[in-house]
Amino acid sequence: MYSFNNDYSEGAHPDIMEALMRTNMEQTGGYSLDTYTEEAIHNMKNLINCQNADIHLLVGGTQTNLTALSAFLRPHHAIIAASTAHIAVHETGAIEATGHKVIIHPTDDGKLNVNHIRECYEAHTDEHMVKPKLVYISNPTELGTIYSKAELEEISCYCKENQLFLYLDGARMASALTAIGNDIALSDYAKYTDAFYIGGTKSGALFGEALVICNDNLKEDFRYHIKQKGGMLAKGRLLAIQFNTLFTNHLYETLGEHSNKMAYKLKEGITSLGYRFLVDSQTNQQFPIFPNNVIIQLEKEFLFSFQAKIDENHSAIRLVTSWATREDKVEKFIEVLRNCK
Amino acid sequence: MYSFNNDYSEGAHPDIMEALMRTNMEQTGGYSLDTYTEEAIHNMKNLINCQNADIHLLVGGTQTNLTALSAFLRPHHAIIAASTAHIAVHETGAIEATGHKVIIHPTDDGKLNVNHIRECYEAHTDEHMVKPKLVYISNPTELGTIYSKAELEEISCYCKENQLFLYLDGARMASALTAIGNDIALSDYAKYTDAFYIGGTKSGALFGEALVICNDNLKEDFRYHIKQKGGMLAKGRLLAIQFNTLFTNHLYETLGEHSNKMAYKLKEGITSLGYRFLVDSQTNQQFPIFPNNVIIQLEKEFLFSFQAKIDENHSAIRLVTSWATREDKVEKFIEVLRNCK
Amino acid sequence: MYSFNNDYSEGAHPDIMEALMRTNMEQTGGYSLDTYTEEAIHNMKNLINCQNADIHLLVGGTQTNLTALSAFLRPHHAIIAASTAHIAVHETGAIEATGHKVIIHPTDDGKLNVNHIRECYEAHTDEHMVKPKLVYISNPTELGTIYSKAELEEISCYCKENQLFLYLDGARMASALTAIGNDIALSDYAKYTDAFYIGGTKSGALFGEALVICNDNLKEDFRYHIKQKGGMLAKGRLLAIQFNTLFTNHLYETLGEHSNKMAYKLKEGITSLGYRFLVDSQTNQQFPIFPNNVIIQLEKEFLFSFQAKIDENHSAIRLVTSWATREDKVEKFIEVLRNCK
Amino acid sequence: MYSFNNDYSEGAHPDIMEALMRTNMEQTGGYSLDTYTEEAIHNMKNLINCQNADIHLLVGGTQTNLTALSAFLRPHHAIIAASTAHIAVHETGAIEATGHKVIIHPTDDGKLNVNHIRECYEAHTDEHMVKPKLVYISNPTELGTIYSKAELEEISCYCKENQLFLYLDGARMASALTAIGNDIALSDYAKYTDAFYIGGTKSGALFGEALVICNDNLKEDFRYHIKQKGGMLAKGRLLAIQFNTLFTNHLYETLGEHSNKMAYKLKEGITSLGYRFLVDSQTNQQFPIFPNNVIIQLEKEFLFSFQAKIDENHSAIRLVTSWATREDKVEKFIEVLRNCK
């Protein structure tokens, strides 16, 4: 069985493992107060072209989201998000558990736009309702789609005009950065958002997400929040060593490119066999629609997850590629699919 | 500079790194739904001699404490702890952030006893006060002292009689298990507590704590709580592979023994030079009292932390040893101390 | 200006004021530990025909909802509600502030049905999502519609089968109980729900809601939750004296009937003038649709609130009647409407 | 049986009841958006000599404390309070339920001083601990003692120097304002604190506390917090009408004076019979120490509460007087005491 189930099935890229091995017996300060972390933050500030940012390294995505959002908001503040957003669906109410409502808006393709945001914002008019204060988007979205720079800028403008913070979840940012059609550079995220995170877990690290806080008003005492929410790793250097490796010789982009290349190969092969997709994804998640009996045959050799029922006889599945996806297995998938009756 | 600052200055024991390398490119299920985790849990159930326990692997101690305690308690429930307890002092109000009061009681040596617990319990008499529902202890304590089996049993009995849950924080359990004078076996923890955790971070793992839930009433839906609080590691097998290594060939105990041996060597050397200690610790944290000018001299060659002011001219410091502490450095410390004027 | 803005524009029914005056200088125990409260609870148990219920008197609706729901649920539990539900829209995120997600479903008329509930329930399948545990409905709904006994029973059955608690918000229950077409008796609420509240604030009391907990598993320590959430009134007897008055000689029903009678008179008059309604309400809130220029003319003599934009030239408004609504003012409203051009 | 159990055994002062009756059938806006509330706030700003303050009327003390403190603080902020403080002991963990730790310091007499505050403040040094941000005091304290203006000013200065907010709970402020030896005027509270509340419930109102926010940084969106925490009374004018009555013709001070006069009469009578007190209270709570057999005899005719065990044979009790305490009952108490054997 080969798994297209997610992008965290394997360990880490060998360069990362090697770096962890090499530094293993060194003594450093705990809790991210070490020179590796200093170095990682220094390098990342250059990469995002924002010397003024505060950068914090955390273990996982839900932890990063809940820590950041609860630190940024006052108790009556709410978040606007797509109804498919990770925080809205797949984080077990982590945001609500910190006390904040997530206001959701349906979208066609996982992408929130200014009209959606405006509708949510304007519906909240007085103190009997929550006060929308932060817009949450992710790039790529949960459906693999990506924002254009113009779209990101437009959202950013609307947020600034209405005193809304803009937060971007970059769990799969490596794939977005290297997707066909992408025109958003790393430095653009620092320019257009108040905070965002650069995902490591799904892009070749054992674990780790780099939270970048761009808005000065959101920086104060952030380490207190990390500790309080249980996200401060004792051996914090493990995070830094991984990110340093990812940002050496463009490894991060290289891994993102590979995951996209494998996704595009799947997409092309599936398309050429006459199948359609739930949504037109440019990144490492693809959502082909198959007859249910085809899915049953595919399941005999591959792991993947169910995405949506299309009709009585058809379903969309989710195929995820990663930095570690083997090209021969992609080819095998297409071959098996071709032979399905 | 050699650091006695804490027991998480280095990476992991080489056997752990080797195991992570060996399994790195395997595909497994995410979120601790993998065969390594199954194996780790199977092994640990045998070790604690409790087939009925639920075991969950989490990344760090604060995360484990806040997830467990908030899952176990209803909103009006409070926790009884020593005033020096980790949750009371060093977790940035993580427990209160989940809504629960920590009722504290002073102790001489970090050890909570039945009299302390009773006093707290009986002081809370009606619905205008919180309702004490869980007793938090750690072994070893924050001051390096350990409980005897009789003491643990006595606390356990009191808790059972009064419908209080007993929770034990085992962040440094490897040191407690192998301390001179210890008579509490791993299986006793399962017998006498409602839940406890076996610490990995401070005992040779890169990170990781194994939470053992013994009381059936506390088990339901626990994975929801892990996810909601941001503690569910995507590549959960990393935790399992580490614990499997620690519990192969008694590595866990071996590492605990080494940390104690180094601590005892420090203790003996310091004692033989005529210095006293803040508290009589049997484990890998030692709290010698030195003249301030001696401390200044020691600081030139060693890292350690300040513990308490004794008088105008004397302070207690904290020296922490670990599985990785080098014996030559311990000898060097004593030698430097001997030469202090 | 006469107000149809809400059903809490005046003080209390004169009988209530008289009872408060009569008892004013008596000394009683505080915090609802007094004989008036005992009497009120005794009477209400008879009224709902459920000797086994626990009844608590609280000051207001949001307070009652947040106290009950946070007491009933564990941290990962979520609530299913109509998207128009009071807790979803008009309580400033009070429920989320206690840590729980409110899962919303759109409805035509404010009434949640089993299909809605099932869809929400079945969409939540694993520990990466919240766990639906409680269904929140209100009768009448926010749109003035009422449930039939058969509908309530069906929801109740579905909830029981799926271990969901059923909670009913009865802020305007007096109006529901006495609405044309209603077939749900007070005792049915005790039979079909796990908990519900009988509203006083909007039915002739100065303030006060009577929470009835029917499910034994939800009763324990409830007074702790009232106190913790700030809802325990020092002079608790004030609540009891008011409810005793409301439930003497069927005053509660009499007041509900009056509010409905005034609403029906408005409905009839508006209908006879050829206008339509946003929804067919049987209770004391009516939502007529008027041309915008008619609304402007009505606003010169009456207070009411905007409900929804229908098209460029038409809007729905909300007219609320109460125990205190004057019939001559209703007649005046129709007369003014008739004269609108 | 006559009750000295508390200062909320009766209803409201007759002038208040009369005002509620007189205005009962008027229509006003809901949720404190009415002209009575405007008038009350206008008058109170004059009384405290601070036109710039924001004033909100809430129902009860716990509600006021939890709403204010949770609105003022970020998640990692903690509160410093006396170990006897109402929020520390008698509010069922209401503050912790909003996520904040209450750091407690023992005191001799319920009064927190700068040394206590400094000790708590300086013990919290880094992000592994909570960050103290607000000092909570009450005047009078839980033990009936009062602050001098110099003491209040000194605390205020320390707080300002260290960016700590100063919050004062004035549940029994009428008694403090009129106590022998008091030199703090209402306007001083506005001058020296960031926020405080003027208690109504224990000073002749049916219920009600007036929260005064002096610090501009704490004012924004406060009504959202009141609503979210369940404290926004639908018929908000009830609060305003009561406070308007209390502040007409100095009724508030007159009622405070009466409660003190009755307390002093108890104190004098008890002292003259040779008994001592747990603490030297200047206000309407007195804590005499009696032999246990004397207490048993007193309990036959009077209600009061147990305060503390002094030794095997002696206990301190709490006697509370109020605006409604009858002088003949005070005389009776002394007479009964004189006849105790």
Side-chain angles (χ1 to χ4, degrees):
Chain A
M1 293 287 256
Y2 191 76
S3 175
F4 292 105
N5 217 7
N6 57 50
D7 30 19
Y8 39 86
S9 295
E10 292 87 0
H13 187 272
D15 289 2
I16 284 177
M17 295 307 290
E18 193 278 323
L20 292 175
M21 288 293 275
R22 191 176 62 238
T23 57
N24 188 52
M25 291 309 293
E26 294 177 19
Q27 286 192 320
T28 63
Y31 301 115
S32 294
L33 300 174
D34 63 87
T35 50
Y36 289 110
T37 303
E38 275 176 37
E39 183 191 338
I41 290 174
H42 175 81
N43 289 341
M44 294 173 90
K45 285 183 180 178
N46 288 339
L47 274 167
I48 62 170
N49 194 25
C50 182
Q51 296 306 322
N52 195 38
D54 271 11
I55 300 180
H56 301 277
L57 306 181
L58 290 102
V59 169
T62 298
Q63 183 77 45
T64 304
N65 289 336
L66 79 86
T67 304
L69 271 47
S70 68
F72 297 165
L73 301 178
R74 294 182 63 204
H76 63 307
H77 287 158
I79 295 147
I80 297 172
S83 57
T84 49
H86 205 260
I87 58 164
V89 182
H90 284 112
E91 300 191 357
T92 319
I95 301 302
E96 288 88 352
T98 68
H100 301 282
K101 187 183 190 77
V102 181
I103 302 164
I104 54 174
H105 199 289
T107 68
D108 292 331
D109 55 3
K111 288 168 66 179
L112 206 64
N113 63 37
V114 167
N115 289 335
H116 302 143
I117 299 169
R118 181 184 294 111
E119 198 180 308
C120 293
Y121 182 70
E122 294 185 351
H124 291 79
T125 53
D126 65 39
E127 67 261 28
H128 292 264
M129 307 179 192
V130 289
K131 184 170 187 173
K133 187 66 187 173
L134 184 146
V135 171
Y136 167 101
I137 57 175
S138 55
N139 202 30
T141 69
E142 292 299 306
L143 293 174
T145 50
I146 57 171
Y147 287 88
S148 70
K149 189 167 161 179
E151 290 167 337
L152 179 62
E153 191 177 353
E154 196 189 7
I155 293 174
S156 181
C157 284
Y158 181 83
C159 287
K160 278 201 176 56
E161 279 164 20
N162 294 285
Q163 283 81 52
L164 294 164
F165 301 128
L166 178 58
Y167 175 88
L168 188 140
D169 181 326
R172 293 187 170 96
M173 186 175 279
S175 183
L177 283 172
T178 57
I180 290 179
N182 172 61
D183 62 352
I184 307 181
L186 255 184
S187 57
D188 292 322
Y189 292 108
K191 192 171 162 190
Y192 292 121
T193 74
D194 293 282
F196 68 102
Y197 84 80
I198 303 171
T201 301
K202 292 170 177 170
S203 306
L206 287 176
F207 53 85
E209 324 294 330
L211 176 68
V212 181
I213 308 180
C214 314
N215 182 332
D216 284 346
N217 296 323
L218 302 179
K219 293 172 179 173
E220 192 184 359
D221 289 341
F222 196 79
R223 280 175 57 84
Y224 283 84
H225 299 275
I226 300 177
K227 178 68 185 181
Q228 186 185 69
K229 296 299 188 290
M232 192 169 280
L233 193 64
K235 303 184 182 182
R237 75 186 195 197
L238 301 176
L239 294 158
I241 291 165
Q242 295 187 82
F243 274 103
N244 275 335
T245 308
L246 285 173
F247 287 115
T248 297
N249 295 328
H250 304 287
L251 179 59
Y252 193 67
E253 287 83 353
T254 303
L255 299 184
E257 263 167 17
H258 178 80
S259 70
N260 287 343
K261 194 177 149 196
M262 294 301 101
Y264 299 159
K265 189 156 187 160
L266 278 170
K267 189 178 185 179
E268 202 176 84
I270 291 165
T271 304
S272 73
L273 291 171
Y275 296 108
R276 290 190 306 164
F277 289 77
L278 184 66
V279 68
D280 184 26
S281 161
Q282 289 82 44
T283 57
N284 72 320
Q285 299 189 90
Q286 296 293 329
F287 304 91
I289 297 168
F290 295 132
N292 293 340
N293 70 317
V294 166
I295 292 173
I296 289 165
Q297 294 173 70
L298 291 168
E299 280 173 336
K300 289 177 187 151
E301 302 201 37
F302 300 98
L303 290 171
F304 48 80
S305 58
F306 169 85
Q307 180 72 15
K309 180 177 171 176
I310 304 300
D311 61 32
E312 281 312 304
N313 300 313
H314 295 78
S315 302
I317 65 166
R318 185 181 82 146
L319 299 173
V320 190
T321 58
S322 80
W323 65 276
T325 301
R326 286 170 49 183
E327 190 158 9
D328 62 326
K329 297 300 186 181
V330 170
E331 288 162 357
K332 184 72 187 301
F333 184 92
I334 301 301
E335 187 191 319
V336 172
L337 180 61
R338 183 178 297 119
N339 295 331
C340 282
K341 301 145 207 171
Chain B
M1 292 287 259
Y2 192 77
S3 175
F4 291 105
N5 216 9
N6 58 51
D7 30 19
Y8 38 85
S9 297
E10 291 87 0
H13 187 272
D15 288 4
I16 284 177
M17 295 308 290
E18 193 279 323
L20 292 174
M21 288 293 274
R22 191 176 62 237
T23 58
N24 188 52
M25 292 307 295
E26 294 178 19
Q27 286 192 322
T28 64
Y31 301 114
S32 294
L33 300 175
D34 64 86
T35 51
Y36 289 110
T37 303
E38 276 177 37
E39 184 191 338
I41 290 173
H42 175 81
N43 290 341
M44 293 172 90
K45 285 183 180 178
N46 288 339
L47 273 166
I48 62 170
N49 194 25
C50 180
Q51 297 304 321
N52 197 38
D54 271 11
I55 299 180
H56 301 277
L57 305 181
L58 290 102
V59 170
T62 298
Q63 183 76 46
T64 305
N65 289 336
L66 78 87
T67 305
L69 272 47
S70 67
F72 297 165
L73 301 178
R74 295 183 63 206
H76 64 307
H77 287 159
I79 295 146
I80 296 172
S83 56
T84 49
H86 205 260
I87 57 164
V89 182
H90 284 111
E91 301 191 357
T92 319
I95 301 302
E96 287 87 353
T98 69
H100 301 282
K101 188 184 190 75
V102 180
I103 302 164
I104 54 174
H105 200 289
T107 68
D108 292 332
D109 55 2
K111 289 168 65 179
L112 206 64
N113 63 37
V114 167
N115 288 335
H116 303 143
I117 299 169
R118 182 185 294 114
E119 198 180 309
C120 294
Y121 182 71
E122 295 186 349
H124 291 80
T125 53
D126 66 39
E127 66 262 27
H128 294 264
M129 306 179 193
V130 290
K131 185 170 186 172
K133 188 63 186 173
L134 185 145
V135 171
Y136 168 100
I137 57 174
S138 56
N139 201 30
T141 68
E142 292 299 308
L143 294 174
T145 50
I146 57 171
Y147 287 87
S148 70
K149 189 169 163 180
E151 289 167 337
L152 179 62
E153 191 178 354
E154 197 191 7
I155 293 173
S156 181
C157 284
Y158 182 83
C159 287
K160 279 201 175 57
E161 280 164 21
N162 294 284
Q163 282 82 52
L164 294 164
F165 301 128
L166 179 58
Y167 176 87
L168 187 141
D169 181 326
R172 295 190 168 95
M173 185 176 279
S175 182
L177 282 172
T178 56
I180 290 179
N182 173 63
D183 62 352
I184 307 181
L186 256 184
S187 58
D188 293 321
Y189 292 109
K191 193 171 162 190
Y192 293 120
T193 75
D194 293 282
F196 68 102
Y197 83 80
I198 303 172
T201 301
K202 293 171 177 170
S203 307
L206 287 176
F207 54 85
E209 325 294 329
L211 176 67
V212 181
I213 308 181
C214 314
N215 182 332
D216 284 346
N217 296 324
L218 302 180
K219 293 173 179 173
E220 191 183 359
D221 290 341
F222 196 80
R223 281 175 57 83
Y224 283 83
H225 299 275
I226 299 178
K227 178 69 184 179
Q228 186 185 70
K229 296 302 188 287
M232 192 170 279
L233 192 64
K235 304 183 182 181
R237 74 184 194 196
L238 301 177
L239 293 158
I241 292 166
Q242 295 187 81
F243 274 103
N244 276 334
T245 309
L246 285 173
F247 288 115
T248 298
N249 295 328
H250 305 287
L251 179 59
Y252 193 66
E253 286 84 352
T254 304
L255 298 184
E257 263 167 16
H258 178 79
S259 70
N260 287 343
K261 195 178 147 196
M262 294 301 101
Y264 299 158
K265 188 155 187 160
L266 278 170
K267 190 179 184 177
E268 204 176 83
I270 290 165
T271 304
S272 73
L273 291 171
Y275 295 109
R276 291 189 305 163
F277 290 77
L278 184 67
V279 66
D280 184 26
S281 160
Q282 288 83 45
T283 58
N284 72 320
Q285 298 187 90
Q286 295 292 329
F287 305 91
I289 297 169
F290 294 132
N292 293 340
N293 71 315
V294 166
I295 293 174
I296 289 167
Q297 295 173 70
L298 290 168
E299 279 173 336
K300 290 177 188 153
E301 301 201 37
F302 299 97
L303 289 171
F304 48 81
S305 58
F306 169 84
Q307 180 72 15
K309 179 177 170 176
I310 303 301
D311 59 33
E312 281 311 304
N313 300 313
H314 294 78
S315 301
I317 65 166
R318 185 181 81 148
L319 299 173
V320 190
T321 59
S322 81
W323 63 275
T325 300
R326 286 167 52 184
E327 190 159 7
D328 60 326
K329 296 299 185 181
V330 170
E331 289 163 355
K332 183 70 188 298
F333 184 92
I334 301 300
E335 186 190 318
V336 172
L337 180 62
R338 183 177 297 118
N339 295 330
C340 283
K341 302 145 208 176
Chain C
M1 292 287 258
Y2 192 77
S3 175
F4 292 105
N5 217 9
N6 57 50
D7 31 17
Y8 38 86
S9 296
E10 291 87 1
H13 186 271
D15 288 3
I16 285 177
M17 295 308 290
E18 192 278 323
L20 292 175
M21 288 293 274
R22 191 177 61 238
T23 58
N24 188 52
M25 292 308 294
E26 294 178 19
Q27 286 192 321
T28 64
Y31 301 116
S32 294
L33 300 174
D34 64 87
T35 50
Y36 288 110
T37 303
E38 275 175 40
E39 183 190 339
I41 291 174
H42 175 81
N43 290 342
M44 293 172 90
K45 284 183 181 179
N46 288 339
L47 274 167
I48 63 170
N49 194 24
C50 182
Q51 296 306 320
N52 195 38
D54 271 10
I55 300 179
H56 301 277
L57 306 181
L58 291 102
V59 170
T62 298
Q63 183 76 45
T64 303
N65 289 336
L66 78 87
T67 304
L69 272 48
S70 67
F72 296 166
L73 301 178
R74 294 183 63 206
H76 63 307
H77 287 157
I79 296 146
I80 297 172
S83 56
T84 48
H86 205 261
I87 58 164
V89 182
H90 284 111
E91 300 190 357
T92 320
I95 301 302
E96 289 87 353
T98 70
H100 301 282
K101 189 183 188 76
V102 179
I103 302 165
I104 54 175
H105 200 290
T107 68
D108 292 331
D109 55 2
K111 289 168 65 178
L112 206 65
N113 64 37
V114 166
N115 289 335
H116 302 144
I117 299 169
R118 181 186 294 110
E119 197 180 309
C120 293
Y121 183 71
E122 294 185 352
H124 291 81
T125 54
D126 65 39
E127 67 263 27
H128 293 264
M129 306 178 193
V130 289
K131 185 170 188 174
K133 189 63 188 174
L134 184 145
V135 172
Y136 167 101
I137 57 175
S138 55
N139 202 31
T141 68
E142 291 299 306
L143 294 174
T145 51
I146 58 171
Y147 287 87
S148 71
K149 189 168 163 179
E151 289 168 337
L152 179 62
E153 190 177 355
E154 196 190 7
I155 293 174
S156 180
C157 284
Y158 182 82
C159 287
K160 279 201 175 55
E161 280 165 21
N162 294 285
Q163 284 80 52
L164 294 163
F165 301 128
L166 178 57
Y167 175 88
L168 188 141
D169 180 326
R172 293 188 170 95
M173 185 175 280
S175 182
L177 282 172
T178 57
I180 290 179
N182 172 62
D183 63 352
I184 307 181
L186 256 184
S187 57
D188 292 322
Y189 292 109
K191 192 171 163 189
Y192 292 121
T193 75
D194 293 282
F196 68 102
Y197 83 80
I198 303 172
T201 301
K202 293 170 177 170
S203 306
L206 287 176
F207 53 84
E209 324 294 330
L211 176 68
V212 181
I213 308 180
C214 314
N215 182 331
D216 284 346
N217 296 324
L218 302 179
K219 293 173 180 172
E220 192 183 358
D221 289 341
F222 196 79
R223 280 174 57 84
Y224 283 83
H225 299 276
I226 299 177
K227 178 69 185 180
Q228 186 186 69
K229 296 301 188 289
M232 191 169 282
L233 192 64
K235 305 183 181 181
R237 75 186 194 196
L238 301 176
L239 293 158
I241 291 165
Q242 294 187 81
F243 274 103
N244 275 336
T245 309
L246 285 172
F247 287 115
T248 297
N249 295 328
H250 305 287
L251 178 60
Y252 193 66
E253 287 83 353
T254 304
L255 299 184
E257 263 167 17
H258 178 80
S259 70
N260 288 343
K261 195 177 149 197
M262 294 301 101
Y264 299 160
K265 188 155 188 163
L266 278 171
K267 191 179 186 177
E268 205 176 84
I270 291 165
T271 303
S272 73
L273 291 170
Y275 295 107
R276 289 189 307 162
F277 289 78
L278 184 67
V279 67
D280 184 26
S281 161
Q282 289 82 44
T283 57
N284 72 319
Q285 298 188 90
Q286 296 292 328
F287 305 91
I289 297 170
F290 294 131
N292 293 340
N293 70 316
V294 165
I295 293 173
I296 289 166
Q297 294 173 72
L298 290 168
E299 279 173 337
K300 289 177 188 152
E301 301 201 37
F302 300 98
L303 289 171
F304 47 80
S305 58
F306 169 85
Q307 179 73 15
K309 178 178 171 176
I310 303 301
D311 60 33
E312 280 313 302
N313 300 314
H314 294 78
S315 301
I317 64 166
R318 184 179 82 145
L319 299 173
V320 190
T321 58
S322 80
W323 65 276
T325 300
R326 287 169 50 183
E327 191 158 6
D328 61 327
K329 297 299 185 180
V330 170
E331 289 162 355
K332 183 72 187 296
F333 183 92
I334 301 301
E335 185 191 320
V336 172
L337 180 62
R338 184 178 296 118
N339 296 329
C340 282
K341 303 144 204 172
Chain D
M1 292 287 257
Y2 192 77
S3 175
F4 291 105
N5 217 8
N6 57 50
D7 29 19
Y8 38 86
S9 296
E10 291 86 0
H13 187 271
D15 288 2
I16 285 177
M17 295 307 290
E18 193 278 325
L20 292 174
M21 288 293 274
R22 190 176 62 236
T23 58
N24 188 51
M25 291 309 292
E26 294 177 19
Q27 286 193 321
T28 64
Y31 302 116
S32 295
L33 300 174
D34 64 87
T35 50
Y36 288 110
T37 303
E38 275 175 39
E39 183 190 339
I41 289 174
H42 174 81
N43 290 342
M44 293 172 90
K45 284 184 181 179
N46 288 339
L47 273 167
I48 61 170
N49 194 25
C50 181
Q51 296 306 319
N52 196 39
D54 271 12
I55 299 179
H56 301 277
L57 306 182
L58 291 102
V59 169
T62 298
Q63 184 76 45
T64 304
N65 289 336
L66 79 87
T67 304
L69 271 47
S70 69
F72 297 164
L73 301 180
R74 294 183 62 206
H76 63 307
H77 287 159
I79 295 146
I80 296 173
S83 56
T84 48
H86 205 259
I87 58 165
V89 183
H90 284 111
E91 301 190 356
T92 320
I95 301 301
E96 289 87 353
T98 69
H100 301 282
K101 188 183 188 76
V102 180
I103 302 164
I104 54 174
H105 200 289
T107 67
D108 291 332
D109 55 3
K111 289 167 65 179
L112 206 64
N113 64 38
V114 167
N115 289 335
H116 303 143
I117 299 169
R118 181 184 295 112
E119 198 181 309
C120 292
Y121 182 70
E122 295 185 351
H124 290 81
T125 54
D126 66 39
E127 66 263 27
H128 293 263
M129 307 179 193
V130 290
K131 185 169 186 173
K133 188 64 186 173
L134 184 147
V135 171
Y136 167 101
I137 57 175
S138 56
N139 200 31
T141 69
E142 292 299 307
L143 293 174
T145 50
I146 57 170
Y147 287 87
S148 70
K149 189 168 162 180
E151 289 168 338
L152 180 61
E153 191 178 353
E154 196 191 8
I155 292 174
S156 181
C157 284
Y158 182 83
C159 287
K160 280 203 175 56
E161 279 164 21
N162 294 284
Q163 282 81 52
L164 293 164
F165 301 128
L166 178 58
Y167 175 87
L168 187 141
D169 180 327
R172 295 189 169 96
M173 186 176 280
S175 182
L177 282 172
T178 56
I180 289 178
N182 173 62
D183 61 352
I184 307 182
L186 255 184
S187 57
D188 292 322
Y189 291 110
K191 191 172 164 190
Y192 292 120
T193 75
D194 293 283
F196 68 101
Y197 83 80
I198 303 172
T201 301
K202 293 171 177 168
S203 306
L206 287 176
F207 53 85
E209 325 293 331
L211 177 66
V212 181
I213 308 181
C214 314
N215 182 332
D216 284 346
N217 296 324
L218 301 179
K219 293 173 179 173
E220 192 183 359
D221 288 343
F222 196 80
R223 280 174 58 84
Y224 283 84
H225 299 275
I226 298 177
K227 178 69 185 180
Q228 186 185 69
K229 297 300 187 290
M232 192 170 279
L233 192 65
K235 304 183 183 181
R237 75 185 194 196
L238 301 176
L239 293 157
I241 291 164
Q242 294 186 81
F243 274 103
N244 276 335
T245 309
L246 286 173
F247 288 115
T248 298
N249 295 328
H250 305 286
L251 179 60
Y252 193 66
E253 285 84 352
T254 303
L255 299 184
E257 262 167 17
H258 178 79
S259 71
N260 287 343
K261 194 178 148 196
M262 295 301 101
Y264 298 159
K265 187 156 188 161
L266 278 170
K267 189 179 185 177
E268 203 176 83
I270 291 165
T271 303
S272 73
L273 291 170
Y275 295 108
R276 290 190 305 162
F277 289 78
L278 185 66
V279 66
D280 183 26
S281 160
Q282 289 82 45
T283 58
N284 73 319
Q285 297 187 91
Q286 296 292 328
F287 304 92
I289 298 169
F290 295 131
N292 293 339
N293 71 314
V294 165
I295 293 173
I296 290 167
Q297 294 174 70
L298 290 168
E299 279 172 335
K300 289 176 189 153
E301 302 201 37
F302 299 98
L303 290 170
F304 48 80
S305 58
F306 169 84
Q307 179 72 16
K309 179 178 169 176
I310 303 301
D311 60 33
E312 281 312 303
N313 300 314
H314 294 77
S315 301
I317 65 167
R318 184 180 81 147
L319 299 174
V320 190
T321 58
S322 80
W323 64 276
T325 300
R326 286 168 51 184
E327 191 159 6
D328 62 326
K329 296 300 185 181
V330 170
E331 289 162 357
K332 185 70 188 297
F333 184 91
I334 300 302
E335 185 191 320
V336 173
L337 179 62
R338 183 177 297 119
N339 296 329
C340 282
K341 302 145 207 176

